[in-house]
Amino acid sequence: IHFGVVNLDKPAGPTSHQVSDFVQKILNIRKAGHSGSLDPQVTGILPIALEHATRLSHILLKGGKGYTGIMHIHKKVEKARIQEVLQKFIGKITQMPPVRSAVKRQWRERTVYSLIVHEIEENDILFSVDCEAGTYIRKLCHDVGKTLGTGAHMTELRRTRVTSFTEEGAVTLQDLQDALMLWKEEGNEKFIRHCIKPAERMAEHLPKIWVFDSTVESLCHGRDLAMPGISKLNPFQKDQTIAIMTLKNELIALGTSFISSDDILKNEKGIAVKTKKV
């Protein structure tokens, strides 16, 4: 509870901040924070970090996202033409954030990894999109309509993925409340452990370095990671965010790689990772 994360299925209605507040009240904790807000009417995956795990929320903000939604085009268009236009929005795209947004309004480049049409019924298109963080799906629908020459808008949206958090295993606010009661009243931990995952889940998508036990204490005091302390590692490039782990897969710190994993394997001395957050 004090260093965990809830893979929450957000309902339509409340803001992301209100949902975080509900989780805080249910668990009776001092702090809970979401990672990447959803509009009030949008449903789906909203990981909520608890207590000390809120220090890790920022690593999910920059992670990839997945959505399923319905786009309504304002005039009837041939299916082949719709497919042809949607293909143009896969890869690098530029977007101007909406007027009501939390970021500065300037052209930004984002990557759409996939854009799949599942069904077209009259003027409604059921689609799913996998994209870089910070991609505005409402704006994507608007821009598709503009390219089609018909106009279009988003009518429904559900987030299906935030990095490694998916709909599989997602829980509702009611699930969380019921699981807590079951634990408090009957001592049954099974369901509360299903609802609250270890904070290490938040770093699942990051490249990792595992260190020897003798290195852990110095890292806990904010020391940078030197090469002799490394036991094993994943491939990564220079200047990437790295999760530094114990051999028991406990998260110790986050840092920025000083050199690539290939260079680490070639050297025996020197700094491998600059520690940023313990």
Side-chain angles (χ1 to χ4, degrees):
I1 290 174
H2 294 282
F3 192 56
V5 60
V6 179
N7 183 16
L8 197 83
D9 190 337
K10 177 192 170 296
T15 65
S16 298
H17 183 74
Q18 286 172 324
V19 171
S20 292
D21 209 42
F22 294 153
V23 169
Q24 191 175 323
K25 286 183 169 70
I26 289 169
L27 296 174
N28 192 25
I29 56 178
R30 290 179 302 105
K31 208 190 299 184
H34 64 80
S35 46
S37 58
L38 290 173
D39 289 349
Q41 293 311 310
V42 177
T43 65
I45 303 305
L46 184 71
I48 307 284
L50 312 177
E51 294 280 30
H52 302 305
T54 54
R55 288 169 57 78
L56 301 173
S57 295
H58 68 285
I59 61 175
L60 293 181
L61 286 173
K62 296 176 182 177
K65 310 286 193 296
Y67 299 89
T68 295
I70 296 175
M71 183 192 320
H72 181 80
I73 51 176
H74 301 162
K75 291 178 186 174
K76 202 159 176 82
V77 180
E78 290 292 322
K79 290 184 180 182
R81 172 66 180 150
I82 292 169
Q83 294 280 14
E84 180 192 326
V85 166
L86 288 175
Q87 288 299 310
K88 294 177 182 176
F89 287 85
I90 298 172
K92 297 281 185 188
I93 63 168
T94 53
Q95 287 191 320
M96 175 69 76
V99 176
R100 291 183 182 179
S101 64
V103 297
K104 186 178 178 183
R105 293 198 77 226
Q106 60 185 26
W107 288 102
R108 308 187 313 165
E109 191 176 79
R110 290 292 181 266
T111 303
V112 173
Y113 306 118
S114 69
L115 181 53
I116 299 166
V117 173
H118 298 289
E119 197 176 331
I120 301 175
E121 190 175 299
E122 298 296 327
N123 290 16
D124 289 324
I125 302 166
L126 176 65
F127 68 94
S128 61
V129 59
D130 210 45
C131 56
E132 185 181 352
T135 307
Y136 288 96
I137 308 303
R138 194 182 299 277
K139 194 75 177 67
L140 180 69
C141 293
H142 173 269
D143 292 346
V144 167
K146 201 171 174 182
T147 306
L148 282 168
T150 60
H153 67 276
M154 185 186 82
T155 58
E156 282 186 51
L157 190 67
R158 176 172 175 79
R159 187 154 70 188
T160 55
R161 182 181 75 87
V162 174
T163 64
S164 62
F165 292 93
T166 65
E167 291 176 297
E168 190 178 340
V171 299
T172 64
L173 288 166
Q174 189 62 57
D175 290 335
L176 187 62
Q177 194 157 29
D178 291 347
L180 188 75
M181 292 294 286
L182 197 64
W183 172 50
K184 293 276 189 186
E185 292 181 5
E186 298 181 20
N188 186 337
E189 294 183 1
K190 181 181 176 182
F191 297 103
I192 194 75
R193 287 188 180 277
H194 169 73
C195 292
I196 302 175
K197 302 299 185 188
E200 280 78 7
R201 270 292 309 273
M202 298 171 75
E204 219 167 57
H205 64 293
L206 296 177
K208 295 176 182 62
I209 289 178
W210 288 264
V211 300
F212 296 112
D213 292 347
S214 55
T215 311
V216 174
E217 191 173 346
S218 63
L219 289 169
C220 288
H221 288 92
R223 290 280 299 274
D224 293 334
L225 174 61
M227 290 179 212
I230 296 172
S231 170
K232 55 183 179 175
L233 45 70
N234 292 148
F236 52 81
Q237 299 303 313
K238 185 182 176 184
D239 294 328
Q240 272 192 272
T241 298
I242 307 294
I244 306 174
M245 317 289 292
T246 69
L247 293 173
K248 294 178 184 174
N249 282 320
E250 299 158 321
L251 181 63
I252 307 164
L254 299 175
T256 304
S257 51
F258 194 59
I259 56 176
S260 71
S261 54
D262 287 344
D263 287 337
I264 289 171
L265 294 171
K266 291 173 192 170
N267 294 288
E268 292 180 4
K269 292 181 181 179
I271 299 299
V273 177
K274 293 278 187 183
T275 303
K276 296 291 183 186
K277 193 169 283 190
V278 177

